[in-house]
């Protein structure tokens, strides 16, 4: 597997994990009262649309640009709430996907 394909697979895994993390944050924040940062539903939806596009073996510039925008917003966002013992901190995954966003076009 070449380097570009490996990076794409790594980013797809991270995007899938971001979806899982954001769903968990939503449940933890609203249902359980568990320590979690605020859920980012816009980022979650953008990731889900991107994964759906990839699964359908399509390439949609609007979906890709939407994901990049939400990643950029998430990377640049200041924490509104400081949570001690945060169960889900996915900032590193979000940052990594954003830093390698050029690979998002290789679907």
């Amino acid at each position: 597997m070449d380097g570009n394909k490996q990076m794409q697979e790594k980013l797809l895994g991270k995007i899938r994990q971001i979806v899982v993390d954001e769903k968990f944050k939503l449940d933890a924040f609203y249902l359980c009262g568990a320590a979690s940062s605020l859920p980012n539903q816009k980022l979650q939806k953008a990731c889900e649309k991107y994964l759906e596009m990839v699964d359908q073996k399509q390439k949609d510039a609007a979906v890709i640009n939407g994901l990049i925008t939400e990643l950029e917003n998430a990377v640049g966002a200041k924490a509104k709430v400081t949570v001690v013992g945060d169960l889900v901190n996915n900032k590193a995954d979000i940052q990594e996907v954003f830093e390698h966003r050029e690979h998002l076009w290789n679907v």
Side-chain angles (χ1 to χ4, degrees):
M1 191 182 304
D2 69 12
N4 284 334
K5 189 69 173 166
Q6 286 178 329
M7 179 55 75
Q8 183 185 8
E9 290 300 319
K10 180 178 179 181
L11 292 180
L12 285 173
K14 291 198 175 287
I15 292 168
R16 285 185 185 97
Q17 188 59 49
I18 290 168
V19 170
V20 169
D21 291 345
E22 293 304 321
K23 284 181 180 178
F24 177 81
K25 283 196 253 183
L26 184 67
D27 290 345
F29 189 77
Y30 291 109
L31 301 177
C32 305
S36 122
S37 56
L38 293 173
N40 185 336
Q41 289 182 295
K42 287 183 179 181
L43 176 61
Q44 176 188 336
K45 296 295 181 200
C47 288
E48 288 172 340
K49 282 184 180 180
Y50 180 82
L51 292 171
E52 184 179 305
M53 179 194 75
V54 170
D55 288 345
Q56 294 175 357
K57 296 182 179 12
Q58 297 177 349
K59 193 174 203 175
D60 185 336
V63 170
I64 297 168
N65 286 325
L67 176 56
I68 291 171
T69 298
E70 291 307 324
L71 289 165
E72 185 174 25
N73 291 340
V75 167
K78 301 273 189 244
K80 294 179 182 151
V81 176
T82 303
V83 179
V84 177
D86 189 353
L87 296 174
V88 178
N89 184 344
N90 59 353
K91 279 241 180 238
D93 285 343
I94 294 168
Q95 180 72 40
E96 185 170 0
V97 174
F98 181 68
E99 287 175 358
H100 297 285
R101 61 192 171 274
E102 70 276 3
H103 292 280
L104 296 174
W105 293 93
N106 301 332
V107 291

